[in-house]
Amino acid sequence: LAEEIKNIRAGKEGTAQDRQFAILELQIQQEEIERDTVTKEQAIADLYVREMEENLTQRRMNKEISAQEFSNEIHNIREYRSMISINSNIEDYDIESTILQMKLRLEHMKKSMGKVPKEQADKNIAEMEQTLSDNEEYRQDEVNELAKQNFEYKRRNLYYQRNSGEISTDELKQKLEELEQTKGKIPTKKEFEEMLNDLSEKHLEQ
């Protein structure tokens, strides 16, 4: 598709508007492929998480870990799964909004070029604009939920570290105060990678 777009831009066939129209259609296809890729990545992540959970459960059955450690780690795995699912939804809303914005431009071009009746074009444009507005609202709900889960994930692990003797009560108090300053923030890409690396080292066979 990228090569096709390049060739159209370099070509002289049709009018400039015709070429812009053809390029936009191909760019929409590119974004739809990207959307499928995000969905497939989420499916692969789910498989890894399921394997982690199975391995952890087996270790507990073999009495390799304590009930306390099992409880904390199973929460970590399940909350990680929930957070990456929400993050995937956010990415999907972003891609869908990009596609809709492109389709809006395409619909306006169709209207100006007479490729579709004005009444139909106006109806299509109104529907897409409404979907864009709805998506932004749904996306914000997902962002709020992800920020909430991220905060609780970190907070719970701090208490586990105190209870297991990794940090003192004074250190817990200080870290909770620092965590409070990050309330409302979603995990960065680096933080997601760190979560995955930590869980993988513990619960995936090397």
Side-chain angles (χ1 to χ4, degrees):
L1 291 176
E3 189 64 30
E4 287 185 58
I5 291 171
K6 182 180 177 182
N7 291 337
I8 293 171
R9 281 181 173 147
K12 298 296 182 183
E13 292 183 15
T15 65
Q17 191 175 39
D18 288 334
R19 291 195 295 275
Q20 288 175 356
F21 188 88
I23 288 170
L24 192 52
E25 285 187 314
L26 291 171
Q27 288 174 331
I28 289 170
Q29 289 182 44
Q30 282 183 317
E31 290 296 329
E32 287 173 340
I33 290 170
E34 174 64 19
R35 192 177 185 186
D36 289 340
T37 300
V38 170
T39 301
K40 289 175 183 175
E41 288 175 349
Q42 177 61 35
I44 292 170
D46 284 342
L47 289 175
Y48 281 125
V49 170
R50 192 175 300 120
E51 184 178 348
M52 289 181 200
E53 195 168 326
E54 290 173 355
N55 289 344
L56 177 63
T57 301
Q58 188 61 50
R59 289 179 64 204
R60 176 56 189 154
M61 289 174 64
N62 294 341
K63 298 182 179 180
E64 297 174 24
I65 57 175
S66 68
Q68 183 185 33
E69 183 179 357
F70 173 79
S71 176
N72 187 67
E73 290 302 317
I74 202 72
H75 273 96
N76 282 345
I77 291 171
R78 290 173 179 173
E79 287 170 15
Y80 171 74
R81 172 193 282 165
S82 178
M83 285 192 285
I84 61 171
S85 177
I86 294 171
N87 193 61
S88 179
N89 291 343
I90 293 170
E91 290 179 357
D92 189 63
Y93 280 128
D94 288 341
I95 296 172
E96 184 181 14
S97 291
T98 298
I99 292 171
L100 281 168
Q101 287 164 359
M102 288 180 169
K103 286 184 175 180
L104 269 171
R105 286 171 52 202
L106 196 67
E107 199 66 25
H108 280 293
M109 290 179 73
K110 287 179 181 178
K111 180 181 174 181
S112 68
M113 296 167 73
K115 289 179 176 286
V116 64
K118 179 180 180 302
E119 295 77 11
Q120 184 61 50
D122 288 342
K123 180 183 177 184
N124 294 342
I125 289 167
E127 288 176 353
M128 283 187 274
E129 287 176 341
Q130 183 60 54
T131 302
L132 271 170
S133 177
D134 291 342
N135 277 2
E136 184 57 36
E137 184 178 340
Y138 301 148
R139 182 190 187 279
Q140 190 56 51
D141 288 342
E142 295 284 42
V143 167
N144 293 343
E145 180 60 26
L146 180 55
K148 177 184 174 183
Q149 291 191 19
N150 182 44
F151 180 83
E152 292 301 327
Y153 179 94
K154 292 177 178 178
R155 183 175 181 274
R156 183 179 48 74
N157 273 283
L158 286 175
Y159 275 101
Y160 175 76
Q161 289 171 20
R162 193 276 308 273
N163 294 340
S164 60
E166 293 178 45
I167 60 175
S168 67
T169 299
D170 286 343
E171 287 174 315
L172 170 65
K173 183 179 178 181
Q174 180 184 342
K175 289 180 181 293
L176 286 174
E177 289 173 356
E178 292 170 355
L179 178 61
E180 193 68 28
Q181 301 304 311
T182 69
K183 201 169 188 177
K185 293 185 178 181
I186 65 174
T188 63
K189 183 177 180 181
K190 181 180 179 181
E191 285 177 317
F192 270 122
E193 289 174 352
E194 288 172 350
M195 284 184 215
L196 177 59
N197 289 338
D198 179 59
L199 292 170
S200 296
E201 286 178 7
K202 293 177 181 176
H203 310 302
L204 287 180
E205 294 180 2
Q206 303 300 317

